[in-house]
Amino acid sequence: MIYQGKQKIWADYQKEIPDNHWFYVRSCIRQNFFPASEKYFLTICRDMLGRDIYETEHHTTCAGIAYHCDTIPQETAMTVVARQFALMTEAGYDSLVTSCITSFGNYTEILETWREFPELEAKIREQLWKACRREFEKPKYLAHASDLMYKLRGEIAERAQYRLVSRATGEPLRVVEHIGCHYSKMFPHKGVGGAEYPCVLSGMAEAWGGQVIDYPERRHCCGYGFRQYHVKANRGYSLSNTHKKFESMEPFHPDLILTNCPGCPYFLDRWQYVIAEMEGKTYGQNGYGIPALTYEELAGLVLGVDPWDLGLQVHQVAIEPLLDKIGIDYDPARKYLGMNEKKIKTPGLPTTLKCC
Amino acid sequence: MGKLYDLLSRDYRFKEGLKTCINCGTCTAICPAAEFYKYDPRKILDTVQRKDEAEIEALLKSDTIWYCGECMSCVTRCPRGNAAGLVIMSLRNLSAQLGYFTCSEKGRQLWPLTKMLTGNILHTGYCVHPSTFNPDDHPESGPVSRWVIENKDEVFGRLGANYQGKGPGALRRIPQEDLDELQAIFDVTGGSERIAAVEDASRRKAAEMGMDFDEYTKYTFEHCSPGHFNNE
């Protein structure tokens, strides 16, 4: 009886995620900083697991960063998104999957606002027609890319070549996850597990053999803060928030950080470099940092994809200690090659943060 | 009802964000900005719902409304369904619309943000783009980001992006016809008008501060005066 009651309560935190046929829109931040993650989202879903994910070259930014930096009016942001919906409709899809948490939050906010204020939706339809001569249907299903990866986590586990387990001890790796604020803090019912029990990332980590670690500031913002990062004068805000998270997670000795949001893996990676350079402090073992991975990067590692194909060389925190811990093979000499194995200049090294 | 409150009330984010604030302070307790800046969203909601025009005008001209990071952590925790973050967005929108943003240091940052982000959107179709990412403006991005930017074609190609290429893929060149549609959207929805208004007000402020406009843009992007932080 008690178990059934819990199941009923838990049902309120579930999200319907269709299994197939998605219209895909990319993330500005991820294309710049983690382009291989987007490539492997498509490779895993399409090529390895046979799902239909459609992309058109004609989609653009959702303008979410500009909107949350308060540089454009709400109706401009809404009409840009309405155009994305029009491209989805024209392509014959009714499910939209976005690679970006800011976009996911933006799309969700727009759909919810239109639901409450239909006259605004009508106005945006008129404006889109006037500007672009396009019409649209609203998506029946809206997902973040991690929702889909969460749904496919079992299929990924079945094909896994590695598990998130220490080769030396046989113990599960200690994983901390960072959901990203705009995934479910604004509209909890739109995220898997809501804002209280978000399991979109912890579900993946556990399915692939890891142990999820709780820590006091688990749900604290990574510190992006939009204008608080994009304006050079404000970046202390961003750094301070990340610092708070690292100080909080440090006693729990995580092996890796699994992230959801486009900006979060960047900030949780780069601010470790800055803290090391400013204060001489590092949070990993032996002078290294704690690797912060995207869910595609982690899925790719589990599936046996070459770490340098996954783009793990464009993290500032070295990934090699984690690869060694799991027992993943890699060729150090290929880390910084260009296209077609071309040798190019290698990056400089930080002063304090240890890199390979 | 006063003019400023009336203008705020027309903003859908204001309608969504301010219902009946009971001033419990939960938003402030959870707020990452309140921990860092001299910032208290509880007080902002209290000021706004008092509908005092002079106080609202002072708020629109202050640094205070620009401290929020729009993480929306406050939305989850408010026991009465308010969204302080959305109210902040409506206040910022009105401050930009009326030109009041130039009265505060943090408000003046709206110009370099507008120049960078809307410039990227209208010229490339992305909010952020490697062609405008200057590692010197981002020392925190580390030597690896400098390496990526200095070897864009090789590294993005290696990572499977379609950098500046035709067809779909990461960092593809977005066709001109699509950029034209974005421009048309900005023109029709008030985005272009907003950019022009922010630039005009900023140019006037630059002249008032005795700076040429490039100097003003750099200064507002980089300068931080003492007095903003809790630990000062």
Side-chain angles (χ1 to χ4, degrees), chain B residues 17-29:
Chain B
L18 184 59
K19 295 176 176 99
T20 307
C21 169
I22 57 171
N23 254 274
C24 65
T26 304
C27 52
T28 303

Side-chain angles (χ1 to χ4, degrees), chain B residues 195-211:
Chain B
I195 295 167
V198 167
E199 180 171 352
D200 286 350
S202 300
R203 283 187 182 278
R204 285 196 299 275
K205 190 67 187 181
E208 188 187 314
M209 292 170 72
M211 295 180 182

Side-chain angles (χ1 to χ4, degrees), chain A residues 299-313:
Chain A
L301 287 180
V302 162
L303 288 164
V305 178
D306 185 295
W308 314 138
D309 289 346
L310 289 169
L312 292 165
Q313 64 274 49

